[in-house]
Amino acid sequence: MKLGVFGGTFNPIHYGHLRAAEEVREKLNLDKIVFVPSGNPPLKDKGLIDASYRYTMVKVAVSINRFFAVSDIEYIKKGKSYSVNTLKKLHHLYPGTTIYFILGIDAFIDMPNWWHPDELVKLTDFIVISRPPLKFTDISTSPFLGADEKILRKLDSGKIESYKTRLKSGREIIMLRLTPVAISATGVRKLIREGKSIKYLLPEEVESYIIANKLYKVVSGK
Ligand code: ATP
């Protein structure tokens, strides 16, 4: 069994996330993708709405795809959740399963700033997906990777679709070019604050939920 773990704030979930997860699953033949919305950090990040709303929106959005699921592992935990602990728990919950932690290029670049990233890179395999406007060559400076820049350039130019290699930790990393979907949650929140339409950026059910619960109207975004 091959499982993809897709973490994020999902504030809110949008078609950038959903399309990426679907393409990853199909291209790499994964059995399931588990979305893991982050919990409530003690000092709430600017613009981050309560985890119960974000969890429900993810649940609604993934319910129509039989290969998708949502996990409450971070959401039910009080205080800050760390990816390293979440991945440890998931490896424990799914013994004998290959678990890939799915990250956009932006998130992979940020990883050295996370809690115990050295442990995380030893714990699990990775899938790093394209995220415009960033490029795969942008991750060549990652301390966890010893990748061939020439191959990263081929990925960026579309000469190749994917690149499977090893992290310095010995774990597998698959870099994957996906259909660019330049949607961000920051952009969605901005449109809502400005009273503009968010139609076709996220599932209709999520849009209705946002409207019904008057989300993102009063909180100040990033
Ligand atoms: P924000 O704008 O609030 O920072 P976001 O849209 O980046 O949010 P996150 O919940 O932070 O969404 O992202 C979760 C994961 O999904 C990250 O690994 C991120 O790189 C990836 N991701 C988000 N949007 C896209 C997209 N449009 N295409 C590909 N990957 C994406």
Side-chain angles (χ1 to χ4, degrees):
M1 164 124 161
K2 289 197 285 183
L3 183 78
V5 172
F6 198 17
T9 49
F10 301 112
N11 186 37
I13 189 162
H14 52 69
Y15 280 134
H17 301 124
L18 291 161
R19 181 65 204 167
E22 179 67 355
E23 285 192 24
V24 167
R25 183 196 66 74
E26 195 173 45
K27 287 182 183 192
L28 300 178
N29 251 313
L30 303 189
D31 297 286
K32 210 175 220 5
I33 307 267
V34 180
F35 290 69
V36 186
S38 67
N40 286 318
L43 299 168
K44 251 194 202 172
D45 288 351
K46 221 175 160 196
L48 188 63
I49 62 163
D50 195 88
S52 63
Y53 290 125
R54 293 181 288 108
Y55 173 81
T56 306
M57 287 190 281
V58 174
K59 198 171 176 187
V60 165
V62 303
S63 64
I64 53 153
N65 190 324
R66 69 190 175 95
F67 298 107
F68 287 179
V70 61
S71 167
D72 61 8
I73 203 164
E74 292 195 358
Y75 151 59
I76 54 170
K77 204 180 150 289
K78 291 212 167 60
K80 212 166 172 81
S81 341
Y82 298 105
S83 299
V84 64
N85 294 338
T86 303
L87 267 298
K88 260 186 212 164
K89 277 188 204 150
L90 289 170
H91 275 276
H92 189 72
L93 276 175
Y94 298 95
T97 300
T98 306
I99 299 185
Y100 293 98
F101 190 29
I102 304 169
L103 296 170
I105 294 177
D106 55 323
F108 188 77
I109 289 173
D110 192 41
M111 226 169 64
N113 304 318
W114 296 7
W115 178 260
H116 292 284
D118 297 316
E119 220 182 308
L120 182 62
V121 291
K122 285 184 201 142
L123 187 69
T124 199
D125 296 306
F126 286 78
I127 295 170
V128 177
I129 56 175
S130 48
R131 172 129 204 229
L134 291 162
K135 295 197 163 79
F136 283 104
T137 40
D138 295 332
I139 64 174
S140 61
T141 53
S142 163
F144 306 116
L145 194 70
D148 184 336
E149 268 220 57
K150 249 194 251 161
I151 304 182
L152 297 181
R153 274 198 294 274
K154 276 191 190 168
L155 256 181
D156 286 328
S157 67
K159 281 192 185 127
I160 55 169
E161 278 250 318
S162 66
Y163 171 33
K164 193 199 278 199
T165 184
R166 297 254 164 213
L167 291 170
K168 286 179 186 164
S169 67
R171 283 291 186 171
E172 189 171 287
I173 176 168
I174 304 173
M175 297 173 218
L176 197 59
R177 247 180 95 84
L178 304 179
T179 308
V181 179
I183 302 174
S184 71
T186 306
V188 170
R189 296 195 298 275
K190 184 167 180 281
L191 289 174
I192 298 171
R193 281 198 312 277
E194 290 169 352
K196 292 186 179 147
S197 167
I198 53 165
K199 248 185 213 323
Y200 315 121
L201 297 174
L202 37 72
E204 236 175 87
E205 295 79 5
V206 174
E207 185 196 357
S208 305
Y209 184 86
I210 290 173
I211 294 168
N213 290 282
K214 302 185 174 65
L215 303 180
Y216 305 111
K217 285 253 176 224
V218 285
V219 286
S220 59
K222 272 192 216 169

